[in-house]
């Protein structure tokens, strides 16, 4: 799930900031596919990042499940189908927390993207 992986990432980033290894005013985040999913989710959880780039990253996971060419992966990743665990799909979808996002983000994808349409 995005929340578990995302919380691990935030723990690592916060450790780097606290240890003085990175400048907290110059942190950016980005990723493609699953990295895009995480980027979308992370900017709804923190204002730590100055900018973000999300490539082919789903922001609403029920519609992603219904349009991807590989729906069984989504169901296994989310511990069930959307009608079985709707609360997980809702909690893990960045779309449901967009009101918390303050990070500028560039969202990209390809016209022929089938895995994450």
């Amino acid at each position: 799930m995005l929340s578990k992986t995302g919380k691990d990432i935030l723990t690592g980033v916060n450790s780097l900031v606290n240890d003085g290894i990175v400048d907290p005013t110059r942190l950016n985040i980005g990723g493609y596919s699953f990295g895009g999913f995480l980027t979308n989710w992370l900017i709804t959880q923190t204002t730590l990042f100055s900018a973000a780039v999300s490539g082919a990253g789903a922001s609403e996971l029920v519609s992603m499940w219904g349009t991807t060419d590989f729906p069984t992966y989504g169901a296994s990743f989310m511990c069930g189908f959307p009608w079985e665990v709707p609360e997980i799909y809702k909690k893990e979808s960045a779309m449901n927390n967009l009101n918390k996002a303050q990070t500028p983000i560039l969202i990209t994808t390809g016209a022929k993207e089938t895995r994450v349409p």
Side-chain angles (χ1 to χ4, degrees):
M1 283 186 255
L2 296 172
S3 56
K4 287 183 180 184
T5 306
K7 288 175 184 175
D8 285 347
I9 290 170
L10 288 176
T11 298
V13 170
N14 285 322
S15 291
L16 292 170
V17 169
N18 292 336
D19 291 346
I21 296 171
V22 299
D23 180 349
T25 66
R26 300 182 63 168
L27 285 173
N28 300 305
I29 190 165
Y32 196 89
S33 192
F34 185 71
F37 287 41
L38 281 169
T39 298
N40 297 341
W41 187 86
L42 283 164
I43 67 164
T44 68
Q45 305 300 307
T46 184
T47 58
L48 187 61
F49 302 105
S50 299
V53 176
S54 173
S59 59
E60 201 287 309
L61 301 176
V62 173
S63 61
M64 190 264 173
W65 173 86
T67 57
T68 185
D69 68 338
F70 194 36
T72 54
Y73 170 75
S76 66
F77 179 70
M78 300 301 284
C79 303
F81 292 103
W83 58 89
E84 295 172 330
V85 288
E87 67 285 350
I88 293 176
Y89 281 79
K90 182 177 181 180
K91 183 183 89 163
E92 298 292 314
S93 292
M95 183 68 71
N96 296 317
N97 290 301
L98 283 180
N99 61 322
K100 298 177 188 174
Q102 296 181 28
T103 305
I105 185 168
L106 173 65
I107 299 173
T108 66
T109 192
K112 296 184 179 183
E113 175 68 51
T114 58
R115 188 66 24 105
V116 186

